[in-house]
Amino acid sequence: MVTHEKIEEWICEVEERPSSAPVIIRYIANRLSELTRRNQELLADNIALRTDKKVDDYENRISNLEYQVGLLKRQLSEPGLIDSSSPMIAQHESAILFVYNSKGKILKAVIPVSTLESGKAVAQFITGENWIDADTPMFVVVNSREELLLIYDSGRTMTLNVDDIPANDATQLDWQHAYLQEPRSGEALVAIMPVAKMGLFDYALQISRRGFVKKIMEGSFESFIANNFIGAGIKLTPDKPFGLIFAKKEDNLVLVSREGFLLSMDVGRLPFAVEEILQLSTNDHLEAIFVVSKSTPTEVKSSFLVMTEGGKVINRNLSWIEPVSSFRTRGQSLFSKEKRTSGVRVVGGGLAQDDDWGFALAISGQITCHPIKELFSTGALPNPPTGLVGFSLLKK
Amino acid sequence: MGLKVGIDFGTSNSGVAIYRNGRIELLPIDRQNVVPEVVKTILYITRDYKVAIGQEAAEHYYKDNVNRRRHFVKKWVGEIDFHGGDMFYVRDIYVYVDELQPGRLLQFIKTGLRSPHYDGTQIFDRYYRLSEIIQVYLKELKQRAEKILDEPITSVTLGRPVKFFDDAEKDRKSENILKEAALSAGFEQVDFEFEPVAAAYYYERSLTRPQNVLIFDFGGGTLDITIMRLGDPGQRKVYATGGIGIAGSDFDRAIIQKRMLAHFGKGEPDLGVEINDLIDSLTDWMVIPDLSTPHARLILEQAVLHRRAPVQMRMFESLIFNDLAFAFYNTVELTKIALSDLGASVLAFSGKDIELWELYTRHQFELDILDYQEQIRAVLINAINASGLEPGQIDAVVKTGGSSNIPIFTQMLVKLFGKDKIKESDAFNSVTAGLAIKASLET
């Protein structure tokens, strides 16, 4: 506010130092010119409001936004369903398989969806090579439009487009030909997660191998990954980040451990600081995470599927899951204690429907694809392999 | 054996220098700064305890905080016992904590050494004592200096004001805190020199014959005056020292209090005591993070809703909830600095829901700091009297520190000593350079 007192003080300045006069006049003139321009803009806005032109503008913008939402829904195939757990893919697209290890070596295989057949070996590591070295390879399937987030155990992250990583010959996967995103000294690559849909959700949930969870608001998460650092999300030294998943406020997070324990919790109850949600035994760790959306229409709320190391399928209706309300609980058991003692272990899983595909990475280095409908009906992979290393789902 | 450097740990800016082979090397500690040899004394500590200083700290802070989201949770911090008559009860105390706060920015760290009640601060889950805060900053300075010199640094001569406190016991305690911080930062040997004396060492290099010199070291936190005999290293003598805890940051506060608070509703009727208290708190940058509580937002929103100074309230809300306070304080400081060269400047600041424009003249600035001028004149006269010298016996007056460029103080010195005796020194680096010289003498 320009008051009389201030004007008097400006005059005093000019009287004391006449050289200040042109400086003051220039500042005031610039300000007047700026205010005049703004006044004209406001007057123009007023006229537009009175002649309804502004209303037309707003209506046009609303129509445009509605059109964009419609487009997005069509892109995601299922009306009302936005699932962050597994990628979705159209018939004309390709499934992109990534096998990677803690040293930052990433192998990519591109498999056109039209070529998928039940039980078909879609990719194969070079036979005879000891392709599993000190650490177990990790495995993820995404669609070709995804953005990938590489998470290191230090909490550092890196974003890459699927196209940034060169494709390998799917029939001769070989670590020697892998794309390398070398971790920094003392660091290990722990997860590659698809993140293209993050804008559609309220939260990013960061989950550790030992069942610790941290909830990050979507806006903050975007700024974190822009800074290439989301934090390790762990509390115990031997623990490591497991992965990330996106969820809406009203969704339920589901964690599945290697020893077959499952825990579900309302996303609203999850903490912003790192807390232990699922209490695991000393040797246990997480193998699968997914989100059950309450906004999913009932007809598509089918079931979830868990794959064991021996190729057996555990299939449950979603109504079987009983969400818990307190932290540090053991969760529900997916199979009996006897089976656990005899060595049955989980290698992956998620929400699944009849039309989806499952990809299994065997210890032999072979990756096979399987229609979920068949897995539901047979309860096991055909010709069960000697051991599975990973299992990933692809939604159609 | 490691190197020995001089470090000027200033209230607003710091610097590191080394004296070797007859040359002073001012180290480019902050390569992101316009003047790389000057590093802002600000420290940013993230939630995972990563540390940044100087321009990097400011940039990190901006990136993480401006327009960010917040989520307040109520946290139990302790309990208070109430005793009264035959009554006794215990009450739980809760505070609202922003769970999403990515980091804490600490500025004017050195002023903690002049505050008898300041012990430290909570940074997320850890309590940092004052010596630990300073240690974090000095350690980062040391590491950067070692990287530049490519050799380990084991010893340091640290600058200190002539007085932290008038009370000798308190003064010694503050020096001990600074020493403890330097030792914890990894320096094996630590000694001190008064900052104005260090500036004198630097000036002495230009002398061809002995002189009586008054060092007017006027920085961000204190004014330090030293009257010395210089020019013959064997015959150096300190006639008198003096100082006062008034400097650049106090002038910034005066500008905010007298010129800026009205933009945020000061003086508007019907705002109520609570809002007026919040507005008054704006003069202290350090408390602004604590103002952004859900309750503050509620009362500001209600004021907007009831059309009580809605524009000012919205601007105030934006300033404290969008973490714009640091940028705002910088703008105030830059406006003040511009007045050293020009008779008028504009304090213009804009951000989300906030736009300030204030034409500010040198005449207004001098009015706003009139009380301080009187106090500074008194300290200067006292120091001259204590030296036993007449103004005419002082051969040169050396100005150093950013605030020494403020024209009204130059005029004050000119009136007392005459224009020819006033010598400009490197405002930001002369103390650092002098400390490096002192460090080499100690070696």
Side-chain angles (χ1 to χ4, degrees), chain A residues 1-2 5-6 8-10 12-13 16-17 20 23-24 27-28 31 34 38 154 202 215 217-220 223-224 226-227 229 231 271-273, chain B residues 48 50 60 63-64 69-71 73 99-100 102 259 263 268 312 342-346 355-364 366-368 411:
Chain A
M1 180 80 79
V2 177
E5 289 77 15
K6 281 186 189 170
E8 284 303 316
E9 286 170 346
W10 296 345
C12 283
E13 170 66 30
E16 276 178 35
R17 272 173 294 276
S20 299
V23 181
I24 292 175
Y27 280 134
I28 294 175
R31 180 67 173 167
E34 192 189 335
R38 273 200 234 168
S154 61
D202 300 319
K215 184 163 73 177
M217 290 177 85
E218 190 269 328
S220 306
S223 81
F224 287 173
N227 289 329
F229 190 82
F272 284 100
Chain B
D48 52 348
K50 286 196 172 135
H60 207 141
K63 211 164 155 186
D64 284 359
R69 293 187 192 187
R70 289 152 193 279
H71 185 264
V73 289
E99 269 195 332
L100 302 180
R259 304 288 167 181
H263 290 276
E268 292 290 332
Q312 288 91 333
L342 294 169
S345 180
V346 164
E355 199 209 338
L356 298 174
W357 188 91
E358 179 82 27
L359 176 63
Y360 194 48
T361 65
R362 197 186 288 171
H363 169 80
Q364 289 173 310
E366 288 167 3
L367 275 181
D368 293 345
Q411 286 161 24

Side-chain angles (χ1 to χ4, degrees), chain B residues 216 377 380 391 397 399 404 406-424:
Chain B
F216 189 77
R377 178 188 295 278
L380 186 59
V397 176
K399 294 193 308 167
S404 71
I406 296 172
I408 192 75
F409 298 110
T410 305
Q411 286 161 24
M412 187 187 287
L413 296 171
V414 168
K415 271 186 192 167
L416 275 168
F417 302 101
K419 195 178 176 186
D420 294 344
K421 290 185 182 173
I422 311 302
K423 311 286 177 197
E424 299 280 346

Side-chain angles (χ1 to χ4, degrees), chain A residues 33-324:
Chain A
S33 141
E34 192 189 335
L35 291 177
T36 306
R37 182 184 54 77
R38 273 200 234 168
N39 192 36
Q40 280 176 354
E41 281 173 10
L42 286 171
L43 288 171
D45 267 1
N46 251 340
I47 292 165
L49 276 170
R50 275 184 301 196
T51 55
D52 286 349
K53 194 175 172 308
K54 204 79 182 170
V55 177
D56 291 344
D57 279 353
Y58 282 127
E59 281 178 349
N60 281 340
R61 281 170 64 184
I62 291 167
S63 313
N64 187 28
L65 286 171
E66 282 174 347
Y67 172 72
Q68 284 185 33
V69 170
L71 263 184
L72 202 57
K73 280 182 179 169
R74 280 200 293 282
Q75 189 187 5
L76 296 171
S77 323
E78 307 268 4
L81 172 65
I82 305 171
D83 176 14
S84 70
S85 323
S86 313
M88 294 180 174
I89 199 157
Q91 188 62 34
H92 62 274
E93 281 189 278
S94 293
I96 315 291
L97 281 59
F98 287 107
V99 186
Y100 56 99
N101 66 15
S102 62
K103 298 183 188 80
K105 288 185 173 179
I106 305 169
L107 287 162
K108 172 180 166 184
V110 180
I111 317 293
V113 171
S114 55
T115 65
L116 296 180
E117 290 171 27
S118 173
K120 181 182 175 184
V122 291
Q124 173 72 56
F125 272 83
I126 294 175
T127 52
E129 190 201 352
N130 183 18
W131 71 283
I132 300 182
D133 48 15
D135 55 342
T136 312
M138 293 160 278
F139 174 49
V140 66
V141 183
V142 303
N143 67 42
S144 52
R145 290 160 293 160
E146 269 299 345
E147 283 289 322
L148 303 174
L149 184 73
L150 276 61
I151 306 173
Y152 296 89
D153 60 358
S154 61
R156 188 170 69 85
T157 59
M158 174 182 283
T159 44
L160 285 176
N161 189 279
V162 163
D163 293 335
D164 293 340
I165 300 173
N168 297 89
D169 180 353
T171 60
Q172 293 187 46
L173 296 177
D174 181 353
W175 286 125
Q176 285 190 13
H177 300 140
Y179 173 80
L180 183 64
Q181 266 303 338
E182 199 171 3
R184 291 176 186 166
S185 172
E187 220 181 34
L189 176 65
V190 287
I192 295 182
M193 310 300 293
V195 292
K197 282 184 275 178
M198 68 179 171
L200 304 174
F201 296 88
D202 300 319
Y203 299 110
L205 309 175
Q206 190 182 9
I207 295 141
S208 83
R209 276 168 65 89
R210 295 286 302 159
F212 286 70
V213 176
K214 178 174 86 178
K215 184 163 73 177
I216 307 167
M217 290 177 85
E218 190 269 328
S220 306
F221 180 71
E222 282 182 24
S223 81
F224 287 173
I225 58 172
N227 289 329
N228 296 321
F229 190 82
I230 57 165
I234 60 167
K235 266 191 168 178
L236 310 171
T237 318
D239 198 5
K240 282 189 174 180
F242 176 72
L244 266 173
I245 198 161
F246 300 105
K248 292 185 174 178
K249 277 177 195 161
E250 64 277 11
D251 293 347
N252 273 323
L253 169 69
V254 182
L255 310 175
V256 182
S257 83
R258 186 165 175 77
E259 291 187 358
F261 289 100
L262 177 147
L263 178 137
S264 167
M265 181 173 273
D266 189 300
V267 168
R269 288 182 182 276
L270 294 172
F272 284 100
V274 181
E275 294 284 354
E276 187 178 13
I277 305 299
L278 175 58
Q279 194 174 32
L280 298 170
S281 66
T282 319
N283 296 319
D284 201 4
H285 62 82
L286 292 188
E287 279 290 0
I289 50 177
F290 58 94
V291 162
V292 179
S293 170
K294 284 184 187 161
S295 58
T296 307
T298 328
E299 64 270 21
V300 294
K301 268 188 189 174
S302 53
S303 54
F304 70 93
L305 172 151
V306 167
M307 181 62 72
T308 69
E309 214 170 49
K312 300 283 184 197
V313 174
I314 300 166
N315 171 216
R316 296 266 192 280
N317 198 289
L318 289 179
S319 58
W320 178 84
I321 298 175
E322 294 170 8
V324 298

